[in-house]
Amino acid sequence: MSSTFNSTLGLLLCLAPAIFHTVEVARPLWARWVVNWVLPFFAPGLPRPSKALTHNDQIGMLDAALDAAPKEKGPAGADYIFLMLFEQRQGALAFIAVAVGVLYGLTLPLADRHALHLVFGVMATLFALVNANHAGVPGLGHHPRVSRNGRNVGILFAPFWAAAAILNYIGFSN
């Protein structure tokens, strides 16, 4: 494989999060699209409308979380729910920024892509470590609620992101 091909593939792999999460900028609860129609494949299984979360289900779950907070800590509970959805939107914005960087990088000659490969290589390395952690490898924090499908996502995407990191390293070093 040529250096340009490795570089291009390394950049293109970094588009994956934007493909799945961009809509969450406008509607953070649309993360349910991934929950309903993507994660079931990791069970393994097929998505079923009868098991799909609805908007009302999500609002009920958020309300239940708010109701579970001690009364004297209600404002902090409300801020916590706000922050989770706010971070969902910011994460989607960051993925859009990555996508813009990828698309711009594809227009550059190989020699001028090094800064993008550095940033995306670090991102891919950290994503690989987090996914490996969700798959059961200790280190890089603790997610207290990894679901079965979440573990399976970690098993699949740790190598995906490791490959993206390696390709971006190759692109950076060329």
Side-chain angles (χ1 to χ4, degrees):
M1 291 192 291
S2 74
S3 296
T4 301
F5 178 81
N6 288 330
S7 168
T8 299
L9 186 56
L11 292 175
L12 287 174
L13 290 178
C14 293
L15 287 174
I19 291 168
F20 288 99
H21 298 287
T22 296
V23 299
E24 296 161 22
V25 170
R27 300 274 194 258
L29 294 183
W30 284 2
R32 74 176 170 271
W33 180 86
V34 175
V35 169
N36 291 339
W37 310 112
V38 177
L39 289 184
F41 289 104
F42 294 93
L46 294 175
R48 291 192 280 185
S50 63
K51 293 192 174 200
L53 288 174
T54 66
H55 174 81
N56 289 339
D57 294 334
Q58 288 176 290
I59 295 297
M61 293 164 63
L62 294 172
D63 289 345
L66 287 171
D67 292 343
K71 294 298 175 207
E72 68 277 4
K73 297 180 182 178
D79 287 342
Y80 181 69
I81 297 299
F82 162 77
L83 189 61
M84 286 193 318
L85 296 174
F86 177 69
E87 294 292 338
Q88 187 78 21
R89 294 179 83 191
Q90 285 192 310
L93 289 168
F95 292 147
I96 291 169
V98 167
V100 169
V102 166
L103 296 175
Y104 173 69
L106 294 173
T107 69
L108 298 174
L110 180 62
D112 294 338
R113 296 180 180 182
H114 62 281
L116 290 171
H117 284 303
L118 174 66
V119 171
F120 297 153
V122 169
M123 178 191 81
T125 300
L126 295 173
F127 279 18
L129 292 171
V130 166
N131 276 278
N133 181 248
H134 292 163
V137 177
L140 202 62
H142 172 71
H143 187 305
R145 297 289 185 264
V146 177
S147 66
R148 177 179 174 216
N149 291 350
R151 181 181 178 277
N152 292 341
V153 165
I155 290 169
L156 179 69
F157 278 98
F160 173 90
W161 287 113
I166 290 166
L167 288 167
N168 277 286
Y169 173 77
I170 291 169
F172 176 76
S173 52
N174 285 323

